[in-house]
Amino acid sequence: MADVWQDCMNFGISIASSAREIVLEASKSKKTVMLKSSPVDLVTETDHKIEEMIISSIKEKYPTHSFIGEESVASGETCTLTDNPTWIIDPIDGTTNFVHRFPFVAISIAFAVNKQTEFGIVYSCVEDKLYTARKGKGSFCNGVQLQVSGQEDITQSLVVTEIGTQRKEDVLKTLTSNIFKLLKIPVHGIRAVGTAAVDMCLVATGGADAYYHIGMHCWDIAASAIIVTEAGGVVLDTDGGEFDMMSRKVIAASSRAVGERIAREIEAFPCERDDGKPQGASGNVNGHPSGEK
């Protein structure tokens, strides 16, 4: 089925390119902004328009395939990863950036079969950077092969994270405490770009040495996780265990040494799994190998 999946990947890239044009055109005009789970969890009409375009286009070509889409789930559809070929879609990763014209906005498309990610596509729209990875075939940005930094010393590392949309006091205390712990090691610095997909791709490029986050969703990281591992990096749970895309916890790193050191320092706050199962009940939804190639 390898050639079939390559055809799917080529089609996904063409759809991501079309979606990018919609993002760039919409960024010029006033946006209608709505709220989802919190006053800072934003969604726009462009999010919905792009997701509908992506899903309808894929359904027409591949009518038997399944879908997990951010806005579809927000509208009440279930978030279930089965063995069926499944497209995992974030139409705009970095919606708050999009609303404010902060220039880091991405389209993220992953494709999984038998709960294993076959390929990932992340298009950073304003930068015009197309990140892609195919299982066993490496990672690329605009056709140039990527390689993680290989950094193994946490004290020489630049780390990326995000605050997310939670504003409960206990969650904010955990988030800021995690940043404090890493700065005290000390790491070289901590950055936040505003899109998990691009954050993880920066690890794949070697521009950052690690990324960690708690509370994001499978559509934020499914594509970029395989981009990291195919660039030679590692993807772990925040407890240092095996990565599970449904757990809403992730560390992506240039090396296992850096990833495991971050896991020893940070604390995860409670959050419900995307698939509704109890935390710790992965059900074999790792998405791809978690270790270095």
Side-chain angles (χ1 to χ4, degrees), residues 23-24 35-36 70 113-114 127 134 177 214 219 225 252 272 283:
V23 168
L24 294 179
L35 304 180
K36 293 195 289 184
E70 176 177 11
V113 183
N114 296 321
E127 296 182 285
R134 173 89 189 275
S177 173
I214 303 111
W219 47 79
E272 184 179 349

Side-chain angles (χ1 to χ4, degrees), residues 82-207:
T82 68
D83 290 340
N84 197 51
T86 302
W87 299 76
I88 304 168
I89 302 157
D90 191 343
I92 298 182
D93 190 39
T95 298
T96 301
N97 288 354
F98 174 65
V99 168
H100 289 273
R101 298 184 184 177
F102 191 71
F104 296 97
V105 176
I107 294 140
S108 178
I109 301 173
F111 180 75
V113 183
N114 296 321
K115 301 186 182 74
Q116 300 297 309
T117 306
E118 290 290 332
F119 64 76
I121 301 162
V122 173
Y123 208 146
S124 183
C125 300
V126 180
E127 296 182 285
D128 193 15
K129 290 184 177 179
L130 176 64
Y131 297 94
T132 59
R134 173 89 189 275
K135 186 167 69 175
K137 303 290 186 181
S139 298
F140 299 84
C141 179
N142 293 347
V144 177
Q145 189 159 9
L146 300 177
Q147 181 67 40
V148 297
S149 69
Q151 180 60 252
E152 295 194 356
D153 184 349
I154 190 68
T155 69
Q156 301 298 307
S157 296
L158 182 66
V159 179
V160 188
T161 191
E162 296 294 341
I163 298 300
T165 58
Q166 287 268 12
R167 292 297 182 267
K168 294 179 180 178
E169 185 174 348
D170 57 337
V171 172
L172 290 175
K173 283 181 178 178
T174 300
L175 291 171
T176 54
S177 173
N178 287 340
I179 292 171
F180 178 82
K181 290 173 185 176
L182 294 176
L183 290 174
K184 283 286 288 182
I185 289 175
V187 297
H188 270 180
I190 293 182
R191 302 289 183 265
V193 174
T195 150
V198 173
D199 289 339
M200 291 178 70
C201 287
L202 289 172
V203 176
T205 68

